[in-house]
Amino acid sequence: MDSARADADVYVVEPLLPQRLRRPSDLLRLLATLLTLTAVILLALVAKQTLYGLEMDVTEGTTLVPLLSRIATFVGGAAVLIVPVAFAVERVFHRDGLRVAEGLIAAIIGMVGSFLIGQWLLAGHVDDLTQLLTGGRSIEPLNTLLISVIAYTTAVRISRRPTWRALMWTVIALDILALYSGRQITLPGAVVAVLVGMAMGYATLYGVGSPNTRPPGNAVVSALRKLSFSPVSARRIDDDHQGSRRYAIGLADGTTLDVTVLDRDRQVAGLPYRLWRRFRLHSETRRRAIRSLRAELEREALMAYAAQAAGASTPRLIGTSEIGTEAALLAYEHIDTRPLDEVPDDEITDDVLAQIWEQVSLLQIQRLAHRRLTGDGIHLDRAGRVVLTDARSGEIAAGDLLLRLDIAQLLTYLALRVGAERSVGSAAAIMGSDTLATAMPLLQRIALTRETRSALAKQKNLLAGIREQIVALKPQGTIEEIRLERFKPRTLVTIIVSTLAAYFLLSQVSQVDVMRVITTANWGWSGVALMASFVSFWAAALMLRGFVPEVLPLWRTVLVQFAASFVKLVAPAAVGGVAINTRYLQKRGISAGLAVTSVGASQFIMMVFHITLLLLFAYITGSNTATTFTPSRGLVVVMLAVALLIVVLFGVPPLRRMITSRTHRLFSNVLPRLLDVLQSPRKLIEGSIGTLMITIAFVVCLYACVRAFGGTIDFTTVAVVYLTANAIGSAAPTPGGLGAVEYALTLGLTVAGVPAELATSAVLLHRLLTFWLPVLPGWAAFTYLQRNEAL
C-alpha cells in the first residue's frame, strides 16, 4: 500500500500510451499464413491426381465404419458452435467482452469474405482451383461456417489458453472429418479453409489493433523501487534505434538513471529484415532473428557486464528487472554525453580518433564484438572522453570474423566523417597494420550497418579509398577473399523471373502439339530458317573481327559465338555474349581494357543499327498502305509499349542509375576504339556488314518460321516485331531472355494479324532454331575452346 502511494507521488512525464496497438507479430503471422496458403494451393494444383485418389480412399473408408462417421458428424457439427459460445460467455464473465467483439468481427469478415471468394470461383474465373476445392460437386468452394469459426478462434487469441485451444481445435478437426466423410468438403478445401480463416483472423487483429499491454511509466518506477532505488522523477526520452522505450529517472540522492524498457511486442519488430539477412548471409555473420524477452534481457546485461570487466568506457549497468510479463528493464548509470553523429566533423580530432580505437582495442582483447560502431553507438562526454553505448547488439566470445567486421565498420564510418586517410592512419596507430590488413577483405557494403550503407551511396569510391590506404601501409600483405553473401539479390530475382518465364513457356508449349509442329512445318521454309540461324553466328564473328584492330581467325571466332549460345543458358541475353567475347579477346593477348572497349564498341554500333533498322522498317511498314507514315494500329501499340518501357527504365531513379552506370562502364572508352577502327576501312566495312547481317539473319529466320506454317505477313512487319521483341529480351534478367522474348514475339505477331496458334508455333520453331538447337554445338565449342585455352 505504501509502495503504491509512493509510486503515485512520482509524476512520470511521458506521452499517453495508445489504447490499442497494431502488433508487428500479427502482421507477420498474416504474411506467413498467406505464404503457406499460396504454397498449399500450388502444391495441390501440381498433385491433383494424388489428392483425388486419397479422397476416394478416405470416402471408401468412412463407408466401412458408418458409426464413426455419424458420431463425428453429430459431435463436430454441434460442438463447433457450442465451444465458441462457451468461450465467449467465459470471457464476458471475466469482463473481457472486447476480445469477444473482435472475434465476432473476424467471424463476420470470414463469412462474407469466404462467400464472395466462393462466388467468384464458381463464376469460372479459376476452373482448376474450383475443381480442386469442390471435387466437381455442388458444394461451397470455401466452407463459410468453418472459416468463420476459425477466424473467430484466431481473433480471440484462444491459442494463449491451452485448455480452450485443445478443445477448440479438436472440435474443428471433428467437424472437418464429418464434412469430409459426408463429401461436403475436399481435402484441399479443408486445408485452404483453415488457412483462409486464420488469415482473416490475423487480418482483423492487425486491422483493429490489440489492447496495449505495455506497462506505463509508473510500472517502471514501481519496478525500480523493488530494486531498492528511490525514484523522485521520471521522464520519457527518445527511443533507441531498436524502438525500445527509454526513461531518465531522478533518484533521491541527486543521481540519475538511464532506463531502457524492452517491450515484448517489440521483439519481432524488424523481423523481415533480420530474416532476410539471416537467409542471405553466412552463419558466422548473421544474428538470431527472434529472441524471447528474457533472452534479450540476458544478452544485453551480459554484454554490459563483460564490457565493464574489459575496462571499456561504457555506462555501468546497475540493475535489471522484469516488469510483469510484458516488459523488462535495464537501469544504467547516467553519463552526460552526446552521440558522435551530433559532433561536428571539425571537432573529431586525432585524440578523439585514438580514444575510439583504444576502446575498441579493449573490447577485442576480451573477444567482445560491439556490432554497432556507428555515430549513435559512440558518444563523447563533456570532458571529451569516448563512451561506447548500445551493448545489446554485441557478442561475447566473438570469433575472428566478427571482430574484423567491427574494424571494417568503424573504418568506414570514421572515413565518412574525417576521410579515408585519417581513419586508416588512426586505426593503424592503435590496432596495427596487420590487423587492418585482415579486415580489408570485409570492406564490403553488405557487411556494414544500414545507416553506413546509406551514407556510402553518396561516396561510392570511399571503400576503394580505404583499401588503397591499407595497401599503402602493408603493400606486401596477402589478402584472402571472404564471401559474406550466400547469394546476391540479383541472383534471387533471376531465379524467380526464370521460373515464371519457364512456367509461361511451358504453358505456351502445352497449347501446341510439338510433334505436329515438327511434322506439319514446311521443310523448305524450315531449312531457310535453319540456314539463317547459323548465318547469324558467322555474322557475329564478322562483327567482332571488324571492331578489333588486331587480327582474329575467322573459324575460331565463329566457334566463340557458338560457345556464347551455350553460356546464354545461364546468363541474361545482354550479358553472356559480352562476357565470353571479352574473355576470348583477352586470351588472344589483348589487354583487359582494350578487350572491354572493343566489345563495347561492337555493342554500341549494334545498338545504333538496331534503332535505325527499327525506325526504317516501321516507316516502310506504314508506307506499304499509304503515302505517308501511317503504321498499322498493332505496330503503334508495340511501339508505344517499347516507349513506355523506356520511360519506366529511365524514369525510376534506381533503374536509371543501374542502366547509366552499366552503359558508362561499357561505352566509356568506345570512341577512342572506334577511332582506331576508322583507320582501317576494311575493318569498318567488315564490322558493319556483320552487324547488319546478324539482324537480317534473325528476321529472315522468324519470317521463314511464319511461312513454314502457312502464315502470310510482310517481311518489314516481321522485322519490326523481331527488333522490338529483341530489345525487350535484352533487358530481361532471365537466361537468354527466356520467357520475355517468346511472349513479346507471340504478342507482336498476333497484333500484326497472325492467328494466335500459328504465331505460337512459329515462335516456338524460331526459338528452337536460334536458342535451343545451338546449345549442343555451343557446348562442344565451349569445351574445345577451353581445352585449347582460347577461353
Side-chain angles (χ1 to χ4, degrees), residues 365-603:
I365 290 172
Q366 298 298 321
R367 313 295 296 181
L368 302 177
H370 189 277
R371 303 298 309 267
R372 191 167 177 80
L373 292 171
T374 60
D376 59 359
I378 304 172
H379 287 229
L380 293 182
D381 65 12
R382 289 188 173 183
R385 291 188 296 266
V386 170
V387 178
L388 300 182
T389 64
D390 199 2
R392 195 184 322 164
S393 301
E395 297 276 358
I396 65 169
D400 289 340
L401 184 60
L402 292 183
L403 299 180
R404 293 153 68 185
L405 281 170
D406 262 3
I407 296 174
Q409 165 61 36
L410 185 55
L411 277 171
T412 307
Y413 173 74
L414 293 179
L416 287 166
R417 301 296 305 276
V418 301
E421 184 177 357
R422 287 185 64 196
S423 174
V424 174
S426 62
I430 304 299
M431 310 296 293
S433 57
D434 290 337
T435 302
L436 297 190
T438 61
M440 190 165 69
L442 296 171
L443 288 169
Q444 307 173 33
R445 287 176 58 88
I446 189 64
L448 309 175
T449 63
R450 274 194 284 188
E451 296 84 356
T452 306
R453 294 200 301 270
S454 299
L456 278 176
K458 301 177 182 178
Q459 301 186 40
K460 296 182 178 180
N461 297 322
L462 183 65
L463 292 180
I466 298 173
R467 295 189 191 100
E468 290 175 1
Q469 293 294 325
I470 297 175
V471 170
L473 290 174
K474 194 172 179 60
Q476 307 300 326
T478 301
I479 306 302
E480 59 171 327
E481 183 179 355
I482 298 177
R483 179 170 182 146
L484 299 177
E485 295 177 283
R486 295 179 187 274
F487 58 87
K488 295 184 179 294
R490 186 185 308 167
T491 304
L492 185 62
V493 171
T494 300
I495 293 172
I496 294 173
V497 175
S498 299
T499 303
L500 294 175
Y503 174 78
F504 165 78
L505 187 60
L506 290 174
S507 65
Q508 292 294 313
V509 172
S510 64
Q511 300 175 12
V512 179
D513 187 345
V514 179
M515 290 303 299
R516 190 182 65 82
V517 168
I518 297 175
T519 55
T520 60
N522 183 285
W523 287 97
W525 282 111
S526 298
V528 172
L530 179 63
M531 183 64 66
S533 174
F534 279 86
V535 166
S536 67
F537 293 98
W538 180 66
L542 290 180
M543 181 183 73
L544 183 62
R545 280 164 46 96
F547 292 100
V548 178
E550 293 78 7
V551 177
L552 298 178
L554 178 60
W555 171 243
R556 178 157 290 191
T557 307
V558 172
L559 285 181
V560 170
Q561 309 315 308
F562 274 100
S565 68
F566 170 67
V567 175
K568 286 180 182 178
L569 281 177
V570 293
V575 176
V578 172
I580 202 135
N581 281 320
T582 303
R583 179 67 174 171
Y584 169 62
L585 294 181
Q586 289 180 276
K587 284 291 188 177
R588 295 290 304 177
I590 300 173
S591 66
L594 291 178
V596 172
T597 54
S598 296
V599 176
S602 66
Q603 294 296 312

Side-chain angles (χ1 to χ4, degrees), residues 33 80-81 84 102-111 114 142-159 168-176 179 185 189-205:
T33 304
V80 80
L81 295 176
E102 293 172 356
L104 291 176
I105 292 173
I108 294 171
I109 293 175
M111 179 171 291
S114 59
L142 298 175
N143 191 287
T144 54
L145 177 60
L146 181 61
I147 290 176
S148 299
V149 170
I150 294 174
Y152 169 88
T153 301
T154 304
V156 297
R157 298 187 187 276
I158 207 170
S159 58
M168 188 72 247
W169 283 104
T170 299
V171 298
I172 288 175
L174 286 173
D175 187 50
I176 291 175
L179 293 170
I185 197 171
V191 177
V192 168
V194 171
L195 293 173
V196 169
M198 292 174 62
M200 291 184 174
Y202 289 131
T204 303
L205 284 175

Side-chain angles (χ1 to χ4, degrees), residues 4-17:
R5 187 180 296 111
D7 295 340
D9 293 340
V10 178
Y11 178 71
V12 181
V13 180
E14 67 176 338
L16 291 176
L17 297 179

Side-chain angles (χ1 to χ4, degrees), residues 26-40:
D26 292 330
L27 179 60
L28 290 173
R29 290 188 178 100
L30 171 61
L31 295 177
T33 304
L34 292 176
L35 288 174
T36 306
L37 177 62
T38 303
V40 166

Side-chain angles (χ1 to χ4, degrees), residues 633-654:
R633 182 184 301 175
L635 291 174
V636 170
V637 171
V638 173
M639 298 294 287
L640 288 177
V642 174
L644 178 62
L645 177 63
I646 294 173
V647 169
V648 170
L649 290 176
F650 287 94
V652 179

